[in-house]
Amino acid sequence: MDPYSVSDAVSAGIRHIGIAVYSSGKVYEFLVRKGFDSDTARAAVASLVEREYIDNIRAGRKVLASRVGKKQESKAMLAQRLYASGIDRNSITTLMDEYDDDRISCERLIKSYYPDILPTLYSEAELHDIISIASRRGYKPDLVTSVIRKLINEQST
């Protein structure tokens, strides 16, 4: 590994990052696309992380901030999304430890679609739609059903 190449890769990474927020994985991919070999790209990314040009926690929080309301997802799906966004595994673990339990986030998802769940207002088809939407977001059907029952009971009292 040529030290000048690492220095060149670090410079290219800094230029690419600018004032934006990028994950280590995305900067690594960029450097490899620019023609740096994987060892050089890894060394450059490590240097950029050490120098705090790259902050995976901050990049991960940016991803999580976009997954609210009707885009809410389960922890498992969010972890996959973070990994696909180039966030390192240690940062994903930290972020998921900070994130709400699936029961709470599933409740937020359902409320974003149906703010007032009343048993008399929703047909079986609509309840099936709620379960289907939540399942596509990574929530298990039994959890969704449990959350729906809880919300209906809260609305009924």
Side-chain angles (χ1 to χ4, degrees):
M1 177 170 28
D2 179 2
Y4 293 111
S5 291
V6 174
S7 177
D8 292 343
V10 168
S11 295
I14 291 171
R15 282 192 305 278
H16 177 64
I17 294 167
I19 61 168
V21 177
Y22 284 96
S23 67
S24 56
K26 291 299 178 182
V27 175
Y28 170 82
E29 289 172 6
F30 168 78
L31 292 172
V32 169
R33 276 195 319 274
K34 291 293 275 182
F36 294 100
D37 65 69
S38 64
D39 288 340
T40 301
R42 261 192 214 88
V45 166
S47 175
L48 291 167
V49 168
E50 183 180 320
R51 295 161 74 179
E52 298 181 0
Y53 281 97
I54 296 173
D55 182 345
N56 280 303
I57 297 292
R58 188 167 165 223
R61 284 187 180 130
K62 181 180 171 190
V63 171
L64 294 176
S66 70
R67 308 310 299 171
V68 296
K70 292 183 178 181
K71 294 181 180 180
Q72 191 75 52
E73 294 173 330
S74 70
K75 277 184 154 184
M77 192 166 267
L78 287 171
Q80 289 175 355
R81 184 173 299 282
L82 290 167
Y83 184 74
S85 297
I87 308 300
D88 68 271
R89 291 185 191 277
N90 290 336
S91 297
I92 291 171
T93 300
T94 300
L95 290 163
M96 290 298 93
D97 287 346
E98 295 174 356
Y99 202 73
D100 288 329
D101 180 74
D102 276 355
R103 182 171 294 281
I104 294 167
S105 62
C106 181
E107 187 173 322
R108 281 197 306 263
L109 173 69
I110 293 169
K111 284 180 176 180
S112 72
Y113 278 94
Y114 301 94
D116 298 310
I117 292 187
L118 297 174
T120 56
L121 296 180
Y122 294 101
S123 67
E124 284 295 316
E126 288 171 310
L127 290 174
H128 178 72
D129 286 345
I130 295 170
I131 293 169
S132 177
I133 289 166
S135 294
R136 286 193 306 271
R137 301 280 190 283
Y139 297 101
K140 295 185 170 129
D142 59 328
L143 173 71
V144 179
T145 304
S146 169
V147 170
I148 291 170
R149 274 194 217 106
K150 175 187 175 272
L151 291 171
I152 288 173
N153 287 339
E154 286 175 358
Q155 295 278 326
S156 299
T157 56

